[in-house]
Amino acid sequence: MDKKIIGIIAAVIILIAAIVAFGSFGGSTDKVSIGYLPSDHDSALFVANASGMYKDAGIEVELHEYNNGGDLMSAMASGKVDVGYVGITPVLSSIQKGVPVKIVAGAQTEGSGLIASNSNIHSITDLKGKKVATPGEASIQNMLLKYEMKNNGMDASSIESPGMKVASMNDAIKTGSLDAALTYEPFVSIATELNNATLVKKSGDIYPNHPCCVVAVSDKFIKEKPDTVAKIVDIHKQATEKLRNNPEECVQYLPDNIVPDKEVEKGVLEELNWVSDLNDTYKQDIRDFISVEKDLGLINTTFTDEQLFYSK
């Protein structure tokens, strides 16, 4: 065969191989940066990532862990994070400050609790003059603490309320250097079932059916990659169904740092109220929540649906 023809054939083969490689590993893959908290409130994210749902949809995920929602939303405001599994309170605070983000789905409701080091503590009023930690000023747990205090005739000066890393709260309660904490699962169950802490009140008893974590996406990412956002929302729904239908199986997908005991974690996943829709009922729950936050003085803005929500 003529050397020129052989050269042309070889060049064509190389070109085809390059096109295939680019299609497989480059052009067809969407990249997304997702922020989350070390909480099983974000289990749909963990299930989706560890079970390969994102990979199967052609999405390359980069995960970033934050101690609280305020830090996560700061990262989103700076452009480091495209999507966040985060509490509704820091999302509302960020939107009020002009951070361009939208809620695209709910993640779960309730799922926090007030725990104490002393079995003689039966209510928030027993904690007057005590130290009660939350994950931070911008957290929904801090909002719930303020709400419970107000409902019991207590003002901000009634307790000392430091912000702490959630993983450190249980150790502080165990050693007695902290009187109580309003924290999220699984740390509520870890404290009460493994460390002999006292459950004073679940967040669902403080504020029944309150929205907690949501899936928020930056406006920039929505504008640039609306189809990817739609995929992420669909994957979130699939993962949520998996959690509802088989929580025991889903324990394997959660990070080790929030699963010190698989039986405890199984119980938590079975009990949590999972949400994936952004329907009219859930939107109204958020509007009602906003009214409570305004009453507490945590926000002072009247939001429009266009500011809050995005659905394709």
Side-chain angles (χ1 to χ4, degrees):
M1 185 179 291
D2 188 273
K3 290 183 178 180
K4 185 175 181 180
I5 295 175
I6 293 173
I8 293 172
I9 292 172
V12 170
I13 291 172
I14 292 171
L15 178 61
I16 292 172
I19 292 171
V20 170
F22 181 78
S24 300
F25 303 108
S28 64
T29 301
D30 290 321
K31 293 184 179 180
V32 56
S33 174
I34 304 181
Y36 69 95
L37 307 183
S39 164
D40 44 20
H41 292 191
D42 300 343
S43 290
L45 168 64
F46 306 140
V47 169
N49 187 52
S51 67
M53 291 183 183
Y54 292 118
K55 184 178 179 181
D56 291 345
I59 300 174
E60 181 182 332
V61 171
E62 183 180 271
L63 298 183
H64 299 274
E65 181 179 304
Y66 297 91
N67 179 60
N68 59 56
D71 292 346
L72 194 161
M73 293 309 299
S74 293
M76 186 171 282
S78 70
K80 184 176 181 180
V81 169
D82 303 310
V83 179
Y85 275 70
V86 59
I88 183 64
T89 295
V91 172
L92 294 174
S93 177
S94 295
I95 294 174
Q96 176 178 252
K97 293 174 183 175
V99 178
V101 300
K102 297 289 186 297
I103 300 164
V104 299
Q108 46 73 237
T109 63
E110 302 181 358
S112 297
L114 178 61
I115 55 176
S117 60
N118 192 322
S119 60
N120 292 324
I121 296 172
H122 304 291
S123 72
I124 190 69
T125 56
D126 294 328
L127 289 165
K128 287 181 180 179
K130 305 291 186 179
K131 188 184 293 186
V132 185
T134 71
E137 187 68 26
S139 68
I140 187 169
Q141 290 75 28
N142 185 64
M143 174 272 183
L144 290 165
L145 178 61
K146 285 179 166 53
Y147 184 66
E148 180 71 351
M149 289 171 64
K150 182 173 182 178
N151 288 341
N152 285 273
M154 299 167 65
D155 59 29
S157 64
S158 298
I159 62 171
E160 182 183 349
S161 182
M164 289 181 65
K165 287 187 176 181
V166 173
S168 301
M169 291 180 190
N170 283 359
D171 290 336
I173 286 176
K174 192 174 181 179
T175 61
S177 60
L178 181 66
D179 299 299
L182 213 162
T183 185
Y184 47 69
E185 289 286 13
F187 297 98
V188 175
S189 293
I190 291 170
T192 56
E193 296 187 36
L194 301 181
N195 296 344
N196 297 316
T198 298
L199 176 62
V200 180
K201 206 169 191 178
K202 292 184 178 182
S203 66
D205 295 321
I206 294 172
Y207 182 158
N209 197 42
H210 68 81
C212 190
C213 281
V214 298
V215 184
V217 181
S218 72
D219 284 6
K220 181 176 182 291
F221 194 74
I222 290 172
K223 182 178 180 180
E224 292 178 353
K225 297 189 175 182
D227 292 341
T228 304
V229 174
K231 287 181 184 178
I232 289 169
V233 172
D234 185 58
I235 289 169
H236 173 67
K237 291 179 179 180
Q238 293 176 44
T240 301
E241 279 304 301
K242 198 175 184 74
L243 280 163
R244 288 192 186 115
N245 295 333
N246 199 339
E248 182 174 6
E249 179 190 349
C250 290
V251 172
Q252 66 180 305
Y253 299 122
L254 273 60
D256 291 340
N257 64 324
I258 63 171
V259 188
D261 185 287
K262 290 187 177 181
E263 283 304 310
V264 170
E265 189 58 45
K266 174 189 170 185
V268 175
L269 295 186
E270 287 175 343
E271 187 175 330
L272 281 174
N273 302 317
W274 304 111
V275 178
S276 62
D277 292 323
L278 193 58
N279 55 30
D280 290 341
T281 300
Y282 190 73
K283 287 180 180 179
Q284 187 56 51
D285 288 342
I286 290 178
R287 295 187 196 102
D288 294 340
F289 188 86
I290 289 170
S291 296
V292 173
E293 286 219 321
K294 290 176 76 171
D295 187 53
L296 292 171
L298 297 176
I299 55 176
N300 54 22
T301 300
T302 300
F303 300 97
T304 65
D305 281 4
E306 288 71 26
Q307 288 176 292
L308 295 172
F309 307 118
Y310 170 80
S311 58
K312 187 174 179 180

